[in-house]
Amino acid sequence: MKNYFSAYSCVKTIFVLVIIISFNLNAQNSPFGIVVHGGAGTILKSNMTPELEQQYSEKLTEAITAGYEILKNSGTSLDAAEKVINILEDSPLFNAGKGAVFTNAGTNELDAAIMDGKTLKAGAVGGVKHIKNPISLARMVMEQSKHVLLTGDGAETFAKENGMELVPAEYFRTERRWKQLQDAKAKEDSLKQKKGALPLNDEQKYGTVGCVALDKSGNLAAATSTGGTTNKRWGRVGDTPIIGAGTYANNSTCAVSATGTGEFFIRAVVAHDISALMEYKGMSVQQAADEVVMNKLPKINGDGGVIAIDNKGNIAMPFNTSGMYRAYIDNDGNVVVKIYKE
Amino acid sequence: MKNYFSAYSCVKTIFVLVIIISFNLNAQNSPFGIVVHGGAGTILKSNMTPELEQQYSEKLTEAITAGYEILKNSGTSLDAAEKVINILEDSPLFNAGKGAVFTNAGTNELDAAIMDGKTLKAGAVGGVKHIKNPISLARMVMEQSKHVLLTGDGAETFAKENGMELVPAEYFRTERRWKQLQDAKAKEDSLKQKKGALPLNDEQKYGTVGCVALDKSGNLAAATSTGGTTNKRWGRVGDTPIIGAGTYANNSTCAVSATGTGEFFIRAVVAHDISALMEYKGMSVQQAADEVVMNKLPKINGDGGVIAIDNKGNIAMPFNTSGMYRAYIDNDGNVVVKIYKE
């Protein structure tokens, strides 16, 4: 009887070990991937210095590498996406976090959103002024509240109540962005005299950052963070914190993060439309992203781009502007950074 | 030669007249329609008095009749939808405009959105405190700015700059809603001591108003207005002003206005998903609305309903709660008001 049990235990142990090993082997072989953007717009090589190009390239490489390491070590796509965005938010190069543009009132008002493709849970913040890493507050909204979108002072009260440290408004003051505001206002004044429209140059307009990731467990996540547009007023909120417009993730299809003139991305419900084209029309992630960015958006004069990754790890990065800061990891595990059209 | 011209002129005049008459006949026969909701929730006959039932019924009838008259006289779906919502916003019965619920801070913070199915243009406001008719401000954002979503004090500055009169905060104070806030806080305190969740009763939660319309020119419009949820805090914004979630219109498919627990409607991108199921899977408006409200939303515990109308005038009004205040015009031109499940 004792032998019988012992044999049984032995078989059971071997069985469990085989399961664990095959699960791990499976996880080792599971596809995973990550894509990052740092904004789309009229980014021309003729306007760029080699030094600035290198700065962007290095920061994008640092960010995507940090996210990739998390995924490689079987971390979650949410952790990877948040980490990537944190690094870009902390850099003055991008229009998010530290490098956010100024509003007409001379303040910095930040928006961010994150979405979990497994649960369809989402968190977003709009118009926060004292949050160093808005994407981490968006995640806190998703995980620590029953809400999706918190705005303004209220969102900051929520942050404080949940132990997040606020930073003084001066943290976001960079001379480059301050000068952009003055330039925008001067241009506005001169155009007002001419009763013309009020276009912004692209450097003042773009620079939103985003990340989409697939982890080894097959879970997708999308994250986007922005300072909006230079000289914005009236509490304007763009597409970034709007789930379905600038940010969306759904394990059954894809994860998407957008960048561009937000109003058009809201009207076209860009991120969810890409998911819907995959789910309901059977398009690939490349076909769906191309259809929305290269065909539908231009019909309403919407300019910008998206990054997307599907639940098999296939990626797409279409944009209808002259450039989009973007990075991905190729099949050999190497970081590839691109800025201009191919 | 003179006779020739005279004959030619005569033929031309007759030709133009025939065109004008057939165009008008065509417009006379063009399908048009309108649907209204006043919120979904646990609305039980056992909790209702005949007097209150009649008040709701009369106000919904007044509102939809006003919208219907506009459409019958070849007015636009945007004008009809705005007019309907204005009437409901001015009534203390519904959780929008005058009857808005109170936030945790004892303020009233209103959200609204409107969308034009012809141009895919949209306007929305979030967290405004001194706007008598938020839907009219949303329309002003759509038509007088290049933005879609304006929030908080900034949205009110925009209103003032465009000549809209602000009302004092006291305008929104109704004793019924004030008592609901006190009840919600008392319940919260007692639940905090028990460390439980913080559920709201439905009367405090619902009452959003919405309208979808198709005009004789084949143009769809959707409009939604709300005070959000009683005792809300942290600058919470629900699905109402989120294009694609609580409000969406697209001439190629349908117009949708939603009501329910907003967070779930944002996560499910409800209004755009109904449109996408029609456009990409060929579903009817009834099938698509049922699929999202009766199948997809319950899977993430989302409770509420939608009203929808397609570009032929077919309507759907599914809800997964015990009731939804709703009204439509039947084929004979009669107003039909319903509150409970059939």
Side-chain angles (χ1 to χ4, degrees):
Chain A
M1 200 65 180
K2 206 176 170 186
N3 274 350
Y4 170 76
F5 267 115
S6 171
Y8 173 75
S9 294
C10 180
V11 168
K12 204 172 76 174
T13 307
I14 290 170
F15 184 72
V16 168
L17 277 173
V18 166
I19 293 213
I20 291 172
I21 290 166
S22 60
F23 180 82
N24 280 334
L25 279 176
N26 196 37
Q28 290 294 327
N29 296 327
S30 293
F32 67 99
I34 187 162
V35 191
V36 179
H37 74 73
T42 313
I43 308 165
L44 296 169
K45 211 174 170 70
S46 50
N47 296 335
M48 186 74 86
T49 63
E51 293 73 29
L52 197 56
E53 213 171 81
Q54 196 180 337
Q55 283 176 35
Y56 276 109
S57 180
E58 281 175 3
K59 191 50 78 175
L60 287 167
T61 301
E62 178 194 338
I64 199 168
T65 303
Y68 186 73
E69 285 301 315
I70 289 172
L71 297 173
K72 212 169 88 178
N73 295 313
S74 302
T76 69
S77 51
L78 282 171
D79 283 344
E82 183 185 2
K83 180 71 187 171
V84 165
I85 300 296
N86 282 168
I87 291 171
L88 300 176
E89 282 174 336
D90 291 345
S91 159
L93 284 174
F94 304 93
N95 176 19
K98 176 74 185 159
V101 298
F102 282 90
T103 68
N104 178 268
T107 57
N108 307 91
E109 301 186 5
L110 315 173
D111 306 330
I114 192 163
M115 188 160 182
D116 176 359
K118 183 184 177 188
T119 59
L120 299 182
K121 283 191 176 174
V125 293
V128 294
K129 297 178 186 172
H130 303 89
I131 305 295
K132 184 169 175 275
N133 293 110
I135 200 67
S136 298
L137 180 54
R139 187 166 181 186
M140 194 180 263
V141 171
M142 175 171 79
E143 293 177 346
Q144 312 288 332
S145 86
K146 52 184 183 175
H147 301 303
V148 172
L149 175 56
L150 301 183
T151 61
D153 296 342
E156 300 192 351
T157 303
F158 173 80
K160 270 188 286 189
E161 286 179 9
N162 284 274
M164 183 175 277
E165 212 174 300
L166 270 57
V167 294
E170 296 73 47
Y171 167 77
F172 299 102
R173 189 185 167 103
T174 59
E175 287 316 305
R176 170 176 166 232
R177 298 300 190 191
W178 185 251
K179 190 177 171 308
Q180 283 175 2
L181 175 64
Q182 308 316 316
D183 291 351
K185 286 190 165 185
K187 195 183 235 175
E188 192 177 69
D189 286 344
S190 95
L191 280 165
K192 259 184 198 158
Q193 285 164 2
K194 290 185 207 157
K195 297 221 168 190
L198 305 172
L200 292 172
N201 75 46
D202 286 303
E203 227 259 312
Q204 293 163 349
K205 214 162 131 187
Y206 300 108
T208 296
V209 301
C211 177
V212 293
L214 169 71
D215 64 29
K216 289 183 179 177
S217 303
N219 293 320
L220 289 163
T224 318
S225 184
T226 190
T229 53
T230 298
N231 202 23
K232 71 180 175 185
R233 62 189 85 189
W234 305 317
R236 178 260 188 190
V237 172
D239 63 319
T240 295
I242 308 297
I243 299 304
T247 308
Y248 187 71
N250 186 334
N251 273 8
S252 61
T253 52
C254 63
V256 181
S257 170
T259 169
T261 311
E263 278 72 10
F264 299 98
F265 284 66
I266 295 177
R267 291 168 51 196
V269 199
V270 163
H272 183 262
D273 202 24
I274 293 170
S275 169
L277 283 166
M278 292 178 67
E279 188 170 0
Y280 304 143
K281 289 202 89 171
M283 285 190 183
S284 70
V285 66
Q286 185 76 57
Q287 289 170 329
D290 281 350
E291 169 64 15
V292 174
V293 174
M294 310 308 278
N295 185 23
K296 289 182 142 189
L297 268 176
K299 282 182 186 159
I300 55 169
N301 299 314
D303 55 342
V306 304
I307 52 170
I309 186 167
D310 72 10
N311 55 17
K312 303 282 184 290
N314 301 302
I315 67 170
M317 305 176 293
F319 54 96
N320 60 33
T321 49
S322 62
M324 178 168 80
Y325 299 104
R326 59 204 190 275
Y328 63 97
I329 310 278
D330 71 11
N331 290 336
D332 301 323
N334 299 314
V335 175
V336 183
V337 176
K338 297 197 172 177
I339 300 178
Y340 315 104
K341 274 191 186 158
E342 301 271 69
Chain B
M1 201 63 178
K2 206 177 171 186
N3 274 352
Y4 169 77
F5 268 113
S6 172
Y8 173 76
S9 294
C10 181
V11 167
K12 203 172 75 172
T13 307
I14 291 169
F15 184 72
V16 168
L17 276 174
V18 166
I19 292 211
I20 290 172
I21 290 166
S22 60
F23 181 82
N24 280 334
L25 280 176
N26 196 38
Q28 289 295 328
N29 296 327
S30 292
F32 67 100
I34 186 160
V35 192
V36 178
H37 75 73
T42 314
I43 307 165
L44 297 169
K45 210 173 171 69
S46 50
N47 296 336
M48 185 75 87
T49 64
E51 293 73 31
L52 198 56
E53 214 171 79
Q54 196 182 335
Q55 284 177 33
Y56 277 109
S57 180
E58 282 175 4
K59 191 51 77 174
L60 286 167
T61 301
E62 178 194 338
I64 198 168
T65 303
Y68 186 73
E69 285 301 314
I70 291 172
L71 297 173
K72 212 169 88 178
N73 294 314
S74 302
T76 69
S77 51
L78 282 171
D79 284 343
E82 183 185 1
K83 180 70 187 171
V84 165
I85 300 296
N86 282 168
I87 292 172
L88 300 177
E89 282 174 338
D90 291 345
S91 159
L93 284 174
F94 304 94
N95 176 19
K98 177 71 185 161
V101 298
F102 282 90
T103 68
N104 178 268
T107 57
N108 307 91
E109 301 185 6
L110 314 174
D111 306 331
I114 193 164
M115 187 159 184
D116 177 357
K118 182 183 179 187
T119 58
L120 299 182
K121 283 191 176 172
V125 292
V128 294
K129 298 178 187 171
H130 303 90
I131 305 295
K132 184 169 174 276
N133 293 111
I135 200 69
S136 298
L137 180 55
R139 187 165 180 186
M140 194 181 263
V141 171
M142 176 171 80
E143 293 177 346
Q144 312 288 332
S145 85
K146 52 183 183 175
H147 301 302
V148 172
L149 176 56
L150 301 183
T151 61
D153 296 343
E156 300 192 351
T157 303
F158 172 80
K160 269 187 286 190
E161 286 178 9
N162 284 275
M164 183 175 278
E165 211 173 298
L166 270 56
V167 293
E170 295 72 47
Y171 167 78
F172 299 101
R173 188 185 167 104
T174 59
E175 287 316 304
R176 171 177 164 231
R177 298 301 191 191
W178 184 251
K179 190 178 171 307
Q180 283 176 0
L181 174 64
Q182 307 316 317
D183 291 350
K185 287 190 165 184
K187 195 184 235 173
E188 190 176 71
D189 286 343
S190 95
L191 280 165
K192 256 185 200 157
Q193 285 166 0
K194 292 185 206 157
K195 296 217 167 189
L198 303 174
L200 292 172
N201 75 48
D202 286 304
E203 227 260 312
Q204 294 164 348
K205 214 162 133 186
Y206 300 107
T208 296
V209 302
C211 178
V212 293
L214 169 71
D215 63 29
K216 288 183 179 177
S217 302
N219 293 320
L220 289 164
T224 318
S225 183
T226 190
T229 54
T230 298
N231 202 21
K232 71 181 176 184
R233 62 190 83 190
W234 305 317
R236 178 260 186 190
V237 172
D239 63 318
T240 295
I242 308 297
I243 300 304
T247 308
Y248 187 72
N250 186 332
N251 273 8
S252 61
T253 53
C254 62
V256 181
S257 170
T259 169
T261 310
E263 279 72 9
F264 299 98
F265 284 67
I266 296 176
R267 291 166 52 196
V269 200
V270 162
H272 183 262
D273 203 23
I274 292 171
S275 169
L277 283 166
M278 291 178 66
E279 187 170 1
Y280 305 143
K281 289 203 89 171
M283 284 190 185
S284 70
V285 67
Q286 185 75 59
Q287 288 171 329
D290 282 349
E291 168 65 15
V292 174
V293 174
M294 310 308 278
N295 185 24
K296 288 181 143 190
L297 268 177
K299 282 182 185 158
I300 56 169
N301 300 313
D303 54 342
V306 305
I307 52 170
I309 187 166
D310 72 11
N311 55 17
K312 303 282 184 292
N314 301 302
I315 67 169
M317 304 176 293
F319 53 97
N320 60 33
T321 49
S322 62
M324 179 166 82
Y325 298 104
R326 60 204 189 277
Y328 64 97
I329 309 278
D330 71 12
N331 290 336
D332 302 322
N334 300 313
V335 176
V336 183
V337 177
K338 296 197 175 180
I339 300 178
Y340 315 103
K341 273 191 188 158
E342 301 271 71

